[in-house]
Amino acid sequence: MKLSRAQCQTVLESHHLKVTEPRLMVLEFIGAQSGPSKAYDIIHGLTVNPPTVYRALASLTEAGIIHRIESLNAYVFCLHLDHDHSEGHEIFFTICDDCGRVDEIDHDLKTNLRAVLKARNFHAKRRIFEIHGACSSCA
Ligand SMILES: [Zn+2]
Ligand SMILES: [Zn+2]
């Protein structure tokens, strides 16, 4: 998802984040990639010092604008930027191990999962599911 600088600003504002240069640079960088952006590539692709980049990544992740895919150590835009992320949301990624394609899937599993967690009185903080395999073109 290629975003202009103005669109990046709007995304930050709509998620109640202060518009800062490092955040804009990180969003533009991730938007310019066709697949997930590896943390290493973001750090090395920007002329900002690494701690600043990590802070920007952390705040953008926290706000739900981007998601971290742990098994790839990479970041992607949330495909549901218009959603309210205030109470967090369950995220299901399908990751093709052959071509690297990553999709965020929206599924009614979410409703069931919430009910199950609620019944157990479990307070979930990180609800990211990473499903590895082969996509329809690679299978
Ligand atoms: Zn998302
Ligand atoms: Zn594939």
Side-chain angles (χ1 to χ4, degrees):
M1 178 164 61
K2 185 115 179 73
L3 293 182
S4 70
R5 185 150 268 248
Q7 286 171 314
C8 292
Q9 284 193 15
T10 310
V11 167
L12 288 173
E13 283 160 2
S14 67
H15 286 76
H16 313 291
L17 279 189
K18 210 173 129 208
V19 177
T20 66
E21 189 57 31
R23 285 175 183 162
L24 287 174
M25 287 170 83
V26 167
L27 286 181
E28 283 181 317
F29 186 91
I30 294 175
Q33 316 300 310
S34 56
S37 306
K38 299 263 186 204
Y40 179 91
D41 293 332
I42 302 172
I43 298 287
H44 288 269
L46 296 177
T47 54
V48 184
N49 66 341
T52 306
V53 176
Y54 277 118
R55 271 198 301 277
L57 286 168
S59 61
L60 294 168
T61 305
E62 174 102 2
I65 299 173
I66 57 174
H67 297 313
R68 176 158 187 266
I69 303 174
E70 198 129 330
S71 56
L72 304 176
N73 192 17
Y75 293 85
V76 290
F77 268 108
C78 175
L79 291 184
H80 314 103
L81 279 180
D82 49 334
H83 283 198
D84 176 14
H85 289 89
S86 54
E87 57 166 303
H89 74 160
E90 292 78 15
I91 301 152
F92 297 87
F93 285 117
T94 53
I95 300 162
C96 177
D97 292 321
D98 294 327
C99 69
R101 182 188 169 125
V102 172
D103 285 307
E104 184 177 346
I105 54 176
D106 209 356
H107 198 275
D108 56 6
L109 275 172
K110 293 180 181 184
T111 327
N112 290 331
L113 184 69
R114 276 182 199 183
V116 169
L117 293 174
K118 197 164 184 241
R120 292 175 169 255
N121 215 0
F122 187 87
H123 184 78
K125 281 195 186 130
R126 191 175 190 278
R127 290 169 284 182
I128 302 183
F129 302 83
E130 303 177 9
I131 304 156
H132 284 260
C135 74
S136 56
S137 342
C138 297

